[in-house]
Amino acid sequence: MLLAATATGRPPNFKVESKMKRSLTVTAEKFPTFLPSDVERIKDTFALKLAARIERLPVQVSFAEDRIMSSCVTPLMRNETSPVVLLHGFDSSCLEWRYTYPLLEEAGLETWAFDILGWGFSDLGKLPPCDVASKREHFYKFWKSHIKRPVVLVGPSLGAAVAVDIAVNHPEAVESLVLMDASVYAEGTGNLATLPKAAAYAGVYLLKSIPLRLYANFLSFNGISLETSWDWTKIGRLHCLYPWWEDAAVSFMTSGGYNVTSLIKKVSQKTLILWGEDDQIISNKLAWRLHGELSKARVEQISDCGHLPHVEKPAAVAKLITEFVRETCRRKEIQSIS
């Protein structure tokens, strides 16, 4: 889970449609002032384009006195289709979606990219608890304040566990699910939850380290150059540069983390399961186990792809999500007529 979550970036054989190339010319981006200044050291044009669009929206939660200014990317358009909300993996951010997000928008979908509490670029200067219940409430209150319609919730890796947890506890917010290379059978943070605080802080310091994140990139992708991996590492650890990041990471680690295995059979929403056939982090055999435990699910495997399909095969992922959303909308129209 740790290694998979830290690997973000574009594989060297990634090809962007010509239309997208034309729209993503290399220009000087104006970044939100709340982003760490190291964002200017990133070379990846797609990451820079998405970083320039990150906003902070207020979210009032029960466990914090002040509203949490919560980071996200908001849609350029609102339309009749179900909103698509993109979560991210463990200790990551919305920048995971830098290649797939513009393709979903190009397809005409109302697309949000949401930073899970404790990760990403929200303002946690007054550190709230970052356990599972707090992450769940934070998302729900964000949805209730800013989206207000049932969504297609997309969760990659540990984000799939986040999505399952939300879908079961707040079914009114989730119309359907897309789970990618889903980390839903892990038993939380395991023994890490019992570590003394000093050892926990040592562990999260390692999590932020450049060598570990470089290694994670090489583990997740084939044929990656050191230069490319270095740029991806800068993207993947950008959110770790906030002064509260270590406290938030320890808060989650010592809380026990996500253990949603018992919730899977309670998911009532229609679900699309996506899995990279060459995933070296979580075996694609678990796609079929997950399919068997969900009442309304189908599986699509993506060939020549590892643990992060939305990074490695963005065109395929965008196509499958778009078809799934449109199918959901057609089904709703038929039901309303009948």
Side-chain angles (χ1 to χ4, degrees):
M1 181 179 70
L2 165 63
L3 295 174
T6 56
T8 55
R10 182 178 66 178
N13 62 352
F14 175 79
K15 295 181 180 179
V16 185
E17 288 83 348
S18 58
K19 181 178 179 181
M20 195 171 176
K21 283 184 177 178
R22 291 194 297 271
S23 66
L24 289 170
T25 54
V26 179
T27 58
E29 299 294 343
K30 184 177 181 180
F31 302 109
T33 57
F34 58 77
L35 289 184
S37 60
D38 281 39
V39 67
E40 297 181 1
R41 300 181 181 180
I42 293 170
K43 295 180 180 180
D44 189 292
T45 305
F46 292 84
L48 297 177
K49 288 284 184 180
L50 198 59
R53 290 183 54 185
I54 297 174
E55 304 175 38
R56 281 176 171 172
L57 300 180
V59 177
Q60 185 66 63
V61 293
S62 65
F63 51 84
E65 182 177 345
D66 298 328
R67 294 183 300 177
I68 297 173
M69 297 305 296
S70 305
S71 52
C72 61
V73 179
T74 60
L76 293 176
M77 66 193 87
R78 305 290 179 96
N79 55 40
E80 296 301 317
T81 62
S82 302
V84 176
V85 179
L86 308 173
L87 303 176
H88 54 74
F90 171 74
D91 189 36
S92 187
S93 76
C94 58
L95 291 181
E96 262 190 29
W97 289 97
R98 56 194 178 275
Y99 307 125
T100 303
Y101 189 101
L103 295 176
L104 293 172
E105 282 198 327
E106 189 177 285
L109 300 186
E110 178 182 328
T111 309
W112 301 71
F114 175 78
D115 279 339
I116 299 165
L117 181 71
W119 302 314
F121 305 102
S122 297
D123 183 2
L124 301 185
K126 294 183 178 179
L127 185 73
C130 294
D131 56 13
V132 168
S134 300
K135 292 178 189 292
R136 180 195 311 132
E137 181 183 337
H138 177 247
F139 174 87
Y140 180 68
K141 293 295 180 62
F142 177 91
W143 171 82
K144 197 170 184 179
S145 298
H146 302 291
I147 303 178
K148 306 175 184 178
R149 291 183 290 149
V151 305
V152 178
L153 190 57
V154 184
S157 194
L158 188 69
V162 180
V164 167
D165 178 70
I166 294 168
V168 171
N169 286 283
H170 295 293
E172 69 276 21
V174 182
E175 182 175 75
S176 55
L177 289 171
V178 180
L179 306 179
M180 293 198 299
D181 295 70
S183 178
V184 291
Y185 293 111
E187 297 182 357
T189 55
N191 293 332
L192 296 177
T194 62
L195 286 176
K197 277 290 180 71
Y201 276 95
V204 299
Y205 180 81
L206 177 64
L207 176 61
K208 184 171 64 173
S209 69
I210 290 174
L212 178 62
R213 289 179 179 258
L214 282 170
Y215 174 70
N217 284 332
F218 284 105
L219 182 67
S220 296
F221 302 106
N222 295 322
I224 183 173
S225 71
L226 182 59
E227 180 182 6
T228 301
S229 186
W230 174 240
D231 197 44
W232 297 353
T233 297
K234 288 184 287 185
I235 297 167
R237 70 190 297 270
L238 184 64
H239 68 284
C240 301
L241 303 180
Y242 286 120
W244 57 81
W245 172 81
E246 290 183 359
D247 293 332
V250 169
S251 175
F252 175 71
M253 180 187 300
T254 56
S255 74
Y258 282 91
N259 187 346
V260 300
T261 304
S262 63
L263 297 181
I264 293 171
K265 292 183 179 180
K266 298 180 181 179
V267 171
S268 60
Q269 294 87 345
K270 188 176 180 63
T271 304
L272 172 63
I273 301 169
L274 302 181
W275 219 285
E277 285 188 344
D278 300 328
D279 190 341
Q280 301 300 308
I281 308 298
I282 304 177
S283 170
N284 64 1
K285 293 179 181 179
L286 289 178
W288 302 108
R289 175 181 173 183
L290 184 58
H291 176 264
E293 295 181 6
L294 292 169
S295 60
K296 302 175 184 176
R298 81 169 196 262
V299 176
E300 296 283 352
Q301 299 220 38
I302 301 175
S303 61
D304 300 317
C305 183
H307 184 65
L308 301 170
H310 54 306
V311 173
E312 193 169 353
K313 298 284 186 176
V317 169
K319 181 176 183 291
L320 289 166
I321 291 176
T322 300
E323 291 173 350
F324 183 65
V325 172
R326 290 175 177 166
E327 174 189 322
T328 300
C329 291
R330 285 193 298 270
R331 188 172 63 252
K332 285 168 58 179
E333 290 173 0
I334 293 171
Q335 289 173 347
S336 65
I337 294 172
S338 60

